[in-house]
Amino acid sequence: MAKNTESIERDIEVARNRLANTLDELAVRADPQRIADKTKHAVLAKLNEPKVKYGLIGAGALVVLLIGVKIVRR
């Protein structure tokens, strides 16, 4: 019976340690600052792709042109 009790206590301790490790990992993954930094880097990487970068530059130039035409027509 003592061996069985010791085995159960060891199993509980192992489970407790696994749970603590899982909670630590979740805390790291759910850190808002980490998520914001990761998202910021992903957005900046996407914006630096030539297709996206030049498309945005073209769209900006078009908006400026349209605003300029509208101002001149007044």
Side-chain angles (χ1 to χ4, degrees):
M1 185 81 172
K3 180 135 174 117
N4 194 19
T5 303
E6 289 173 4
S7 175
I8 292 171
E9 287 176 355
R10 266 195 320 271
D11 290 344
I12 290 171
E13 187 62 30
V14 167
R16 188 176 292 144
N17 287 335
R18 279 192 210 141
L19 180 59
N21 289 337
T22 301
L23 290 174
D24 289 343
E25 188 174 335
L26 286 173
V28 168
R29 287 185 183 184
D31 179 33
Q33 185 63 46
R34 183 182 162 281
I35 292 170
D37 288 341
K38 186 176 178 182
T39 303
K40 177 183 169 186
H41 289 296
V43 168
L44 289 176
K46 190 67 173 174
L47 289 175
N48 281 327
E49 290 179 8
K51 286 171 39 175
V52 175
K53 181 189 257 183
Y54 297 129
L56 289 174
I57 290 171
L62 181 61
V63 167
V64 168
L65 180 66
L66 292 174
I67 291 172
V69 168
K70 187 172 184 177
I71 290 173
V72 170
R73 286 189 177 178
R74 283 188 177 193

